[in-house]
Amino acid sequence: MHKKLYLLIAIAFVLFSCKDNDDINPEVLTQNQWQKVIEYSDADQPYDIVYSIDFKSDGKVYSEVFVRDMATKNVLGFLEYYNGNYQIVENKVAVSITEHFINMGGTMYSDREKLSLQDKENQSREYQLRNKNSELHTIMPPLASSLGLIYNRVD
């Protein structure tokens, strides 16, 4: 009886001592581009919306959201992009946005040069690496009306 109890305690210890979240490996974060691709199809043509984020080893971050033709992979236009800085804080990637450009026109997308500078101050975003550093999850603020994106590494 005691052997079974010790075995159960040992198994429980092993299971509950494992960490759920991956430690952020700065090398994995910066040596890969991260993307989330969502496929859409309308009456005229199928297209992708591509969310892309690129962390640099100097603490800079660049992100863009663009629409591309699904068949040819040609970029049709942009929805937004931002530049900023990031830090790794408490196992999260904290991004401080310095320039944020978005599509304010009446069309779905536009040329990158025609995006408008959004003048909200103190914009920030948070991310966390998960699943053995293969996924980058957006951490949404409490009471957010949307779900966060899950980016995959582009090797």
Side-chain angles (χ1 to χ4, degrees):
M1 178 72 175
H2 283 72
K3 288 182 181 181
K4 288 182 182 178
L5 181 61
Y6 290 131
L7 181 62
L8 287 174
I9 291 172
I11 290 171
F13 179 75
V14 169
L15 288 176
F16 293 109
S17 66
C18 296
K19 292 172 62 176
D20 289 336
N21 296 329
D22 295 60
D23 287 332
I24 293 179
N25 181 340
E27 194 171 296
V28 171
L29 185 68
T30 60
Q31 290 183 354
N32 297 281
Q33 186 181 38
W34 300 87
Q35 284 188 349
K36 170 68 175 175
V37 179
I38 301 174
E39 296 178 354
Y40 287 94
S41 183
D42 62 17
D44 295 339
Q45 76 184 78
Y47 60 92
D48 296 324
I49 296 182
V50 180
Y51 296 81
S52 176
I53 188 164
D54 194 9
F55 296 95
K56 302 294 184 184
S57 58
D58 65 356
K60 303 286 184 195
V61 62
Y62 305 94
S63 178
E64 58 188 16
V65 181
F66 57 90
V67 178
R68 72 178 179 195
D69 183 278
M70 194 180 295
T72 66
K73 303 297 185 200
N74 291 333
V75 174
L76 302 172
F78 290 83
L79 301 173
E80 77 169 316
Y81 74 93
Y82 71 79
N83 302 314
N85 302 299
Y86 74 92
Q87 294 180 26
I88 298 173
V89 180
E90 296 179 8
N91 212 29
K92 296 177 185 171
V93 182
V95 172
S96 174
I97 298 172
T98 55
E99 289 184 315
H100 188 192
F101 294 84
I102 60 172
N103 180 19
M104 298 291 285
T107 60
M108 182 180 148
Y109 52 82
S110 66
D111 294 334
R112 186 179 171 106
E113 300 78 31
K114 293 181 181 176
L115 296 179
S116 302
L117 180 64
Q118 189 171 6
D119 58 355
K120 290 184 180 179
E121 292 184 29
N122 300 323
Q123 292 185 36
S124 63
R125 298 196 180 161
E126 285 188 314
Y127 302 91
Q128 189 170 41
L129 282 175
R130 294 190 182 155
N131 294 331
K132 298 181 182 173
N133 293 312
S134 66
E135 296 176 346
L136 182 70
H137 290 241
T138 304
I139 301 172
M140 298 302 289
L143 305 175
S145 61
S146 63
L147 298 174
L149 293 174
I150 299 173
Y151 295 80
N152 293 302
R153 263 191 338 225
V154 180
D155 294 328

